[in-house]
Amino acid sequence: MKTMRCYLANDTSSRAAGAERLADAWSERPEIQLIRTSSRGAFFLEPMVERETPNGREAWFNVAPNDLPRIVAGVGGTPVAGIPFLQQQTRFTFANFGITEPLALDEYQARGGLKGLAAAGSLSPEAIVEELRISRLRGRGGAAFPVWKKWQVAQQASSEQKYVVANADEGDAGTYCDRMIMEGDPFRLIEGMMICARAIGATRGYIYCRHEYPAAAQAMRFAIQKAREADLLDSDDYPFDLEVVSGAGSYVCGEETALLESLEGRRGVVLAKPPYPAESGLYGKPTIVSNVLTFATIPNILANGGAWHASIGTEGSRGTMAVQLGGRVKQPGLIEIPFGLTLRDILDRFGGGMAAGSRFKAVQIGGPLGSLFPESQLDIPICYDAFAEVGAILGHGGIVVYDHETDMVELARHFMAFTADESCGKCTPCRIGSVRGREILERIQIGQGTAEDLVLLSDLGETMKATSLCALGGRAPYPVLTAIEHFPNEFRSKLSAFSSQQ
Amino acid sequence: MRIRNKTQLAETLETCRPALLDNPNILKALLAIQSARGYVPTNAIPQIAQVLGVTEAQVAGVLSYYSDLRTQPPGRHLIRVCMGESCMANHGARVFRTIQEYIRINARDPTQAERFTVEQMSCAGNCALSPTVMIDADLCGRVTPSDVLSLLEPYR
């Protein structure tokens, strides 16, 4: 019997969906050889098994172990190119996902990998930064700062030692694209960091990976080892070494100064800026801290030119956006699209409507610090400017959809409790304000809140926004205040009957 | 057992001793101890401070700051229930309550005493398969309250 090659994702989420059960059940079957790839990101279809056909790959969805005969016989498969969720996307950074084996350097190279690094090798450091300026790439971690400006500062700083740090502390709930990159295409992150190292003159790099992502940290360690063996990392023409460092469960360590404190082994407490890390970062040396997705975007920019990247997207937001859809939708998963599509487009065309039995109530973008949007505001385009105009953020691109069963008072309390838990304690308004905010919402929850409490909450929110050093304190009031703004009756109906005015 | 633990601690600490002119890394040392022993005993703080060349207050500060560092030995299995927004939207709180109930019911049996430690986690990055429960290193997605019994049974 001929052995057939089939493809199954080895991503954490695919395993959580049951990919491991298939691999175990089929490990002894002679008719099939399983290749473990990255995941395409269409998680509602996982575990998904693919096989090669003359017309490209065919896929079987939500596979159970006893589906093997069907797959071997080729019955009931769907061409991958015909899956609307994937077909409507524009995949650049995530082009390899679902296709290659994550740790196969030759496959990465065969699909255009390392071209960006080669292009960077033929450019002067100034020319690399110029290419990024033309590309108009903005940091993908949440702050959306122009990448080239940061790099230029670090490049012009004179120091015998400089560092490149990948921020893999993907703490925003609802986001998982950094985890997917590290598990699914680790060489892309390494390549992006190496390009940055050459541009600014750094010889050491760190990947600060959150403790919740053990598989991603392991994949990165293997990939670094492979890159080292292939003489890619520490080559003769450019010495560079890379290390994975684990965090220990602190949300605020996603903020760059706190991250560097943690990397040095101290409490992850936010520091006042300036000095910016690009001037004085890790151990007081010039340091570029960027999000994993930002680094992973860079190889394509160098390979295809900055002008190519600038030709995609909208005026202020060039390139593609990695949207991570979750919550009560039918089709949660990773969506890479050019900036400019509206929120409604994403929910309708990709989300596939609400999960069975649920009705839309609100959507939250940007993790636990992001604003809530009701049905009436869904026509907002996904780009930095449009979001800034309404006082919202895109953050790291996580979109969570809430249904009619969601209790907005409980949700608001959850956000304040989260901030109270995660506040590093540096700024008093955040440290104490979040606890007071939680207490007010708990009071409302048990029917003892008054109308003054809602005024107090909004006052507290404005204080936190104005007086916190980092985005945790500065953005924490947004989900709470937008919940009150869009669903006032849920809060008012819970106020005490003895409240002076309602 | 205690003596063995002490030598083990000393051995782990020795690997974290900073080289001459190098900066001590408190977090790295505490994570190394925790991965060897399961937790960081607070009575080891003076020894850790001495090997790293930092103050006891600095070690205690780092130890109390990070939520993943524990000062008590965990149960045989660590259950972490995700409380991220996507899991909240998909009723992860109900799963958490069901797990707590399961453990409370079993607590009467003395053989079960150290079986589980239950914690909440902020986001497991498994948002497309919410709600998420992590048991030791195993991540489970799309968990409903009725799955809890069969999910926990294999972990004795």
Side-chain angles (χ1 to χ4, degrees), chain A residues 193-213:
Chain A
M193 291 181 77
M194 289 177 72
I195 293 169
C196 175
R198 278 163 199 246
I200 68 165
T203 51
R204 278 200 72 84
Y206 294 94
I207 297 168
Y208 183 89
C209 183
R210 67 199 291 253
H211 208 218
E212 288 83 348
Y213 288 176

Side-chain angles (χ1 to χ4, degrees), chain A residues 258-413:
Chain A
L259 184 149
L260 294 176
E261 283 293 295
S262 181
L263 200 50
E264 292 186 29
R266 291 192 289 272
R267 295 163 70 100
V269 173
V270 175
L271 305 180
K273 294 186 274 194
Y276 292 92
E279 304 155 312
S280 170
L282 191 63
Y283 301 114
K285 306 292 181 203
T287 306
I288 290 293
V289 184
S290 277
N291 177 256
V292 168
L293 179 59
T294 311
F295 281 123
T297 309
I298 286 165
N300 277 334
I301 294 178
L302 267 291
N304 303 329
W308 162 79
H309 186 262
S311 70
I312 307 160
T314 65
E315 175 52 31
S317 318
R318 302 303 170 119
T320 56
M321 169 89 190
V323 172
Q324 299 128 80
L325 194 55
R328 297 293 286 166
V329 282
K330 265 202 194 103
Q331 305 187 358
L334 175 95
I335 304 158
E336 186 180 0
I337 39 162
F339 284 96
L341 242 63
T342 67
L343 201 44
R344 196 183 297 279
D345 279 341
I346 290 177
L347 297 186
D348 292 348
R349 283 167 55 186
F350 296 99
M354 297 296 290
S358 47
R359 291 190 305 279
F360 180 90
K361 185 162 193 176
V363 53
Q364 185 181 24
I365 306 186
L369 311 178
S371 307
L372 289 163
F373 292 82
E375 165 78 31
S376 60
Q377 291 186 354
L378 290 185
D379 290 308
I380 186 169
I382 300 282
C383 63
Y384 297 120
D385 304 329
F387 269 65
E389 243 168 66
V390 297
I393 48 162
L394 279 175
H396 192 42
I399 298 186
V400 175
V401 181
Y402 296 101
D403 71 359
H404 65 288
E405 286 189 64
T406 310
D407 174 350
M408 283 296 156
V409 181
E410 167 54 20
L411 194 63
R413 189 206 63 82

Side-chain angles (χ1 to χ4, degrees), chain B residues 40 43 46 53 55-56 97 111:
Chain B
V40 184
N43 62 11
T55 66
E56 289 180 30
R97 279 197 297 275
T111 62

Side-chain angles (χ1 to χ4, degrees), chain A residues 125-307:
Chain A
E126 291 78 15
I128 298 176
V129 174
E130 176 61 16
E131 209 56 54
L132 277 171
R133 193 186 63 76
I134 295 168
S135 80
R136 298 176 68 181
L137 173 68
R138 295 169 71 171
R140 298 286 193 244
F145 190 76
V147 173
W148 74 273
K149 277 192 190 165
K150 234 191 218 182
W151 286 26
Q152 194 175 48
V153 171
Q155 184 190 66
Q156 289 169 354
S158 64
S159 172
E160 76 285 2
Q161 179 74 63
K162 296 180 188 178
Y163 297 101
V164 181
V165 176
N167 182 347
D169 194 59
E170 190 174 45
D172 278 0
T175 63
Y176 42 84
C177 73
D178 292 352
R179 178 183 62 67
M180 287 182 68
I181 291 169
M182 289 188 283
E183 288 181 17
D185 210 5
F187 295 113
R188 191 170 296 275
L189 171 59
I190 295 176
E191 187 181 352
M193 291 181 77
M194 289 177 72
I195 293 169
C196 175
R198 278 163 199 246
I200 68 165
T203 51
R204 278 200 72 84
Y206 294 94
I207 297 168
Y208 183 89
C209 183
R210 67 199 291 253
H211 208 218
E212 288 83 348
Y213 288 176
Q218 195 58 13
M220 282 317 307
R221 288 196 180 100
F222 280 137
I224 290 169
Q225 188 54 36
K226 284 216 160 181
R228 213 174 267 143
E229 281 163 14
D231 287 329
L232 175 68
L233 262 189
D234 199 9
S235 63
D236 294 336
D237 58 322
Y238 198 89
F240 184 64
D241 203 21
L242 201 50
E243 191 187 325
V244 180
V245 176
S246 178
S250 163
Y251 175 77
V252 86
C253 286
E255 196 278 340
E256 57 181 357
T257 59
L259 184 149
L260 294 176
E261 283 293 295
S262 181
L263 200 50
E264 292 186 29
R266 291 192 289 272
R267 295 163 70 100
V269 173
V270 175
L271 305 180
K273 294 186 274 194
Y276 292 92
E279 304 155 312
S280 170
L282 191 63
Y283 301 114
K285 306 292 181 203
T287 306
I288 290 293
V289 184
S290 277
N291 177 256
V292 168
L293 179 59
T294 311
F295 281 123
T297 309
I298 286 165
N300 277 334
I301 294 178
L302 267 291
N304 303 329

